[in-house]
């Protein structure tokens, strides 16, 4: 599928909500437009979920949890996840193009990272579904005491616009494997693949109401999901500001919350590193997905003895990055996701100039159509500058020199974030020593950026709390129950 047939589907009728296994219009009749970031033109109209729609979705999810889904064998849930993976493989071309059109992500990047991660996540948690075990704990000789893990119930999953398919599945797959049901609220500017995944779940045989999709705006649909008394868990990926609002709303019924928020990650290059490899990875670490990555290596800390060499090489990589139509296989960097985000990034570039940083390359909008910004490198950046402290979420690298390990550690740990970091060195002792002292949920050594569903993912402070992936996700969507059976003497 794809090509003209896909475009006709995208541009034709308003994309409706998915509630209780049916595509329905918003109760208010309202809809909104989603734009193609590469052109700025209207891509599709989407039904706008409101409070009434979210309530209907939650009620549907609750009915499924207490009904067909709750009575299904764990192995049957796993089989359905595998069937969904099979359908995604079948419709790979359609999903890749749809994600690219909606988000501006290059098709090459989606095929290389996003889609394989979606399939890996589904197959991993399909295998976990019937292996969520408790333990027999011999507390006393006159009792059989053991634990079981039970699904939390209805999960509200709120996903961002930078990796709609991948992060969406990071939440959907483990929640469903655990036996929960899901109300998914995609970002309003990238809702199309979430709706398509919902359709494929129905085709795979998931009971009605197990996965509901309610596109809408955060202040209405998102807040309604957070506030709803019958939602047992909220899992959110997005900004720290919204994360704080979610915590406040979740207090109403003390629902569980997992937050994966922002980052200002340090990518640290020591003089004994492989400079070629470090510069290549540093460029990918900030320019991949147009810098719209929570773990982007936006602060590149370089030992003063190799600082100028790294800046020169990084600028050359920025200048050679192929920017263009995301649907072209040769495109390496597409547009920012929206005009709002483009203006935010351009404003930060102006802030960097006003703060006295040296603009080495880039710094401008590319063309007049779409939301393209040149890959940008700043040198002469001081630790206290806003471009060193605040998350820009765009293709803007801030290069900071450091003197020694203690200086590098001071700078690396000196922000409000602690999501990720990178260390480049040929000294294995330094690698271990430095990794222990970095405040980060993930530390890459002599690489930057890879993730795997088997490893925990998350941070602390303004990067949020809790962990996704692996066994941690099973804990996110279940709770233990202790069982005590009196056996007498």
């Amino acid at each position: 599928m794809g090509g003209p047939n896909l475009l006709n589907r995208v541009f034709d009728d308003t994309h409706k909500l998915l509630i209780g296994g049916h595509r329905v219009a918003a109760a208010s009749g309202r809809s909104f437009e989603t734009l193609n970031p590469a052109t700025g033109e209207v891509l599709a109209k989407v039904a706008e979920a409101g409070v009434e729609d979210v309530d209907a979705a939650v009620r549907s999810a609750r009915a499924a949890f207490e009904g067909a889904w709750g009575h299904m064998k764990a192995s049957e849930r796993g089989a359905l996840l595998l069937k969904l993976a099979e359908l995604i493989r079948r419709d790979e071309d359609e999903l890749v193009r749809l994600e690219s059109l909606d988000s501006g992500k290059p098709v090459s990047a989606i095929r290389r990272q996003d889609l394989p991660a979606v399939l890996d996540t589904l197959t991993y948690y399909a295998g976990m579904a019937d292996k969520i075990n408790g333990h027999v704990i011999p507390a006393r000789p006159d009792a059989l005491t053991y634990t079981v893990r039970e699904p939390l119930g209805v999960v509200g999953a709120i996903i961002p616009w930078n990796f709609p398919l991948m992060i969406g599945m990071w939440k959907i797959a483990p929640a469903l494997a655990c036996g929960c049901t899901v109300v998914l609220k995609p970002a309003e500017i990238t809702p199309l693949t979430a709706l398509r995944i919902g359709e494929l779940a129905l085709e795979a045989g998931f009971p009605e109401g197990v996965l509901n999709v309610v596109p809408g705006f955060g202040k209405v649909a998102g807040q309604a999901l957070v506030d709803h008394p019958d939602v047992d868990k909220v899992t959110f990926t997005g900004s720290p500001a919204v994360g704080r609002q979610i915590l406040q709303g979740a207090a109403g019924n003390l629902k569980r919350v997992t937050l994966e928020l922002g980052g200002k990650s340090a990518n640290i290059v020591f003089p004994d590193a492989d400079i070629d490899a470090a510069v290549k990875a540093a460029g990918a670490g900030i320019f991949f997905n147009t810098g719209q990555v929570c773990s982007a290596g936006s602060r590149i800390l370089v030992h003063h003895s190799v600082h100028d060499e790294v800046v020169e090489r990084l600028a050359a990589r920025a200048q050679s990055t192929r920017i263009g139509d995301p649907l072209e296989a040769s495109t390496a960097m597409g547009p920012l996701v929206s005009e709002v985000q483009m203006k935010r990034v351009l404003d930060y570039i102006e802030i960097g100039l006003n703060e006295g940083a040296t603009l080495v390359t880039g710094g401008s909008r590319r063309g007049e159509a779409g939301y393209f910004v040149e890959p940008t490198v700043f040198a002469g950046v001081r630790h206290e500058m806003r471009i060193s402290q605040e998350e820009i979420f765009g293709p803007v690298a801030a290069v900071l020199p450091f003197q020694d390990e203690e200086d590098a550690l001071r700078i690396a740990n000196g922000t409000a974030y602690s999501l990720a970091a990178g260390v480049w060195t040929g000294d294995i002792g330094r690698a271990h020593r430095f990794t222990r002292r970095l405040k980060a949920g993930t530390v890459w050594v002599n690489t930057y950026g890879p993730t795997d569903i088997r490893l925990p993912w998350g941070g602390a402070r303004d990067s949020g709390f809790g962990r996704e992936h692996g066994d941690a996700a099973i804990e996110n969507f279940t709770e233990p129950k202790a069982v005590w059976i009196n056996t007498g003497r």
Side-chain angles (χ1 to χ4, degrees):
M1 301 179 71
N5 292 334
L6 170 62
L7 292 178
N8 288 339
R9 290 182 57 194
V10 171
F11 279 104
D12 281 349
D13 296 335
T14 299
H15 292 255
K16 296 180 179 180
L17 314 174
L18 180 61
I19 298 175
H22 303 282
R23 297 299 292 269
V24 297
S28 66
R30 295 171 62 91
S31 64
F32 60 91
E33 295 177 338
T34 180
L35 305 182
N36 181 340
T39 65
E41 297 173 346
V42 174
L43 180 63
K45 288 187 177 180
V46 181
E48 180 184 335
V51 175
E52 187 175 343
D53 304 300
V54 170
D55 180 63
V58 172
R59 285 188 283 108
S60 174
R62 177 60 63 186
F65 178 72
E66 296 179 352
W69 191 243
H71 294 99
M72 187 176 289
K73 293 180 181 178
S75 59
E76 293 173 333
R77 295 198 304 269
L80 287 175
L81 290 171
L82 289 176
K83 179 62 176 178
L84 178 56
E86 178 183 322
L87 295 177
I88 290 173
R89 287 189 188 95
R90 182 197 70 186
D91 291 352
E92 173 179 341
D93 290 343
E94 173 187 344
L95 287 164
V96 167
R97 285 179 62 85
L98 193 58
E99 185 87 332
S100 180
L101 286 166
D102 208 19
S103 68
K105 298 168 70 74
V107 291
S108 58
I110 300 170
R111 289 190 186 280
R112 185 177 66 252
Q113 173 166 326
D114 302 48
L115 197 73
V118 165
L119 295 171
D120 190 33
T121 301
L122 274 168
T123 54
Y124 176 81
Y125 284 109
M128 290 282 282
D130 60 356
K131 300 173 185 66
I132 301 172
N133 302 318
H135 302 280
V136 174
I137 302 170
R140 293 173 53 136
D142 61 349
L144 172 62
T145 51
Y146 61 93
T147 65
V148 294
R149 297 202 73 90
E150 297 182 337
L152 282 175
V154 176
V155 173
I158 304 174
I159 61 174
W161 44 256
N162 59 336
F163 290 91
L165 264 175
M166 186 177 77
I167 294 180
M169 197 56 68
W170 283 359
K171 301 180 186 302
I172 293 169
L176 297 186
C178 289
C180 297
T181 54
V182 175
V183 179
L184 182 70
K185 209 295 284 183
E188 65 273 10
I189 53 179
T190 55
L192 299 181
T193 50
L195 288 166
R196 183 67 183 128
I197 290 296
E199 289 180 335
L200 292 177
L202 290 173
E203 185 180 345
F206 285 83
E208 296 178 353
V210 170
L211 177 59
N212 306 271
V213 186
V214 286
F217 294 87
K219 291 184 179 180
V220 179
Q223 193 64 51
L225 193 56
V226 171
D227 291 342
H228 202 291
D230 210 23
V231 171
D232 301 292
K233 164 84 181 191
V234 171
T235 174
F236 170 77
T237 299
S239 72
V242 176
R244 291 184 176 90
Q245 294 173 9
I246 286 173
L247 277 179
Q248 294 173 357
N253 71 336
L254 298 178
K255 57 173 61 73
R256 279 73 161 175
V257 175
T258 300
L259 301 176
E260 199 272 275
L261 308 177
K264 193 67 179 176
S265 299
N267 199 2
I268 305 148
V269 182
F270 286 97
D272 59 355
D274 180 336
I275 299 300
D276 286 338
V279 170
K280 181 179 179 180
I286 184 57
F287 301 137
F288 173 68
N289 204 38
T290 322
Q292 299 168 130
V293 183
C294 57
S295 58
S298 53
R299 293 185 301 147
I300 303 171
L301 281 54
V302 185
H303 190 269
H304 67 91
S305 65
V306 292
H307 174 270
D308 292 351
E309 179 185 0
V310 168
V311 168
E312 181 180 351
R313 292 193 187 191
L314 184 62
R317 293 198 68 85
Q319 292 160 5
S320 65
T321 299
R322 186 178 177 87
I323 307 170
D325 183 354
L327 295 177
E328 293 290 336
S330 60
T331 295
M333 198 177 94
L336 291 156
V337 75
S338 67
E339 184 177 13
V340 170
Q341 187 64 16
M342 179 185 70
K343 289 180 176 178
R344 170 186 170 86
V345 171
L346 291 173
D347 284 347
Y348 266 107
I349 291 171
E350 189 66 26
I351 288 168
L353 290 170
N354 291 337
E355 287 181 318
T358 301
L359 180 63
V360 180
T361 189
S364 300
R365 181 179 182 179
R366 174 73 66 87
E368 296 181 359
Y371 311 125
F372 296 88
V373 172
E374 296 171 334
T376 300
V377 177
F378 276 106
V381 178
R382 299 188 305 277
H383 177 54
E384 65 275 9
M385 288 181 176
R386 289 180 63 187
I387 61 169
S388 175
Q389 291 290 322
E390 299 176 14
E391 186 175 40
I392 299 173
F393 227 59
V396 181
V399 184
L400 297 83
F402 67 86
Q403 299 300 314
D404 53 29
E405 285 189 27
E406 289 301 319
D407 192 34
L409 194 70
R410 175 186 64 83
I411 297 170
N413 289 341
T415 76
Y417 300 98
S418 62
L419 183 59
V423 180
W424 293 85
T425 179
D427 183 338
I428 189 64
R430 172 186 283 150
H432 283 293
R433 183 170 64 247
F434 208 78
T435 296
R436 283 198 303 269
R437 300 180 65 190
L438 280 169
K439 295 178 180 177
T442 294
V443 180
W444 294 288
V445 178
N446 294 333
T447 187
Y448 196 92
T451 59
D452 193 288
I453 197 64
R454 295 153 191 81
L455 296 171
W457 180 254
R461 300 188 294 175
D462 279 13
S463 292
F465 57 78
R467 292 294 184 270
E468 297 185 296
H469 301 179
D471 294 339
I474 301 302
E475 296 177 2
N476 285 342
F477 299 111
T478 61
E479 58 185 355
K481 174 185 285 184
V483 180
W484 186 302
I485 299 176
N486 182 26
T487 60
R489 292 184 181 273

